[in-house]
Amino acid sequence: RLCFRPPARGFQCAARGCRAHRSAGGALVANVLRNGSVLLQWGLRHWGPPPRPAAALRGFALNCSWDGTYTRFPCDSVELGAACRDYLLAEAHGSVRYRLCLQPRYAPPRPAPPAQCVEFRVEPAAMRDIVVAMTAVGGSICVMLVFICLLVAYITENLMSPALAR
């Protein structure tokens, strides 16, 4: 029953803050959130009927890889307990193509069914924040330059003119 967090039961991917990507078999869903995290959810019914009682299920193996600029990087395998139905990938890299595969593990002699895989790309949320911050700083600098120009014009007009008249 090893899981890393309490399951997010009933989680629905809202259109504004999330994009859902489903595996070909429909068992695995990757909910890519705007904050750069990914909530994986899965159900057993899409893998077919269970061979015996649910006690035969030993757990799940989660494998992943992601494409970098020049090469593909494999992620460490994660073993999850039989009671787990979701997994949170907290910090995914933006603009990187991920491939996550989940495979249920059954007790012998039952062979493991094929893995369900999902591919997605995380939107670079951090870059959007940097652009917003740079725009705010640029706007502040422009306002300060306008005030400096007005101050120089005031000083030139009011303080320098009387001195020249004498």
Side-chain angles (χ1 to χ4, degrees):
R1 298 182 85 57
L2 176 65
C3 293
F4 293 97
R5 49 182 289 284
R9 299 191 195 284
F11 177 81
Q12 294 294 322
C13 193
R16 285 185 56 200
C18 177
R19 283 193 352 225
H21 301 273
R22 197 171 280 282
S23 64
L28 182 62
V29 177
N31 299 298
V32 181
L33 305 171
R34 292 192 93 182
N35 65 2
S37 60
V38 180
L39 177 65
L40 298 172
Q41 295 177 303
W42 60 89
L44 283 175
R45 67 173 192 239
H46 296 284
W47 265 290
R52 291 183 281 157
L57 180 65
R58 296 287 177 138
F60 299 92
L62 177 66
N63 294 306
C64 69
S65 63
W66 55 281
D67 290 332
T69 306
Y70 301 107
T71 186
R72 174 172 274 228
F73 296 95
C75 304
D76 290 334
S77 297
V78 177
E79 295 288 330
L80 299 166
C84 297
R85 293 297 178 266
D86 65 8
Y87 180 78
L88 183 65
L89 181 62
E91 293 180 15
H93 300 286
S95 298
V96 173
R97 185 177 178 87
Y98 281 89
R99 178 178 169 85
L100 298 167
C101 296
L102 185 75
Q103 184 175 29
R105 305 282 185 174
Y106 287 98
R110 162 91 172 162
Q116 294 273 328
C117 297
V118 64
E119 294 186 14
F120 58 89
R121 186 178 302 271
V122 177
E123 182 181 327
M127 193 63 175
R128 183 178 54 245
D129 294 341
I130 290 172
V131 170
V132 169
M134 289 177 68
T135 304
V137 169
S140 300
I141 291 172
C142 287
V143 169
M144 284 192 300
L145 287 173
V146 168
F147 281 128
I148 290 171
C149 290
L150 290 173
L151 182 63
V152 168
Y154 177 79
I155 290 172
T156 303
E157 183 67 26
N158 292 326
L159 298 179
M160 297 300 235
S161 296
L164 293 175
R166 290 184 201 159

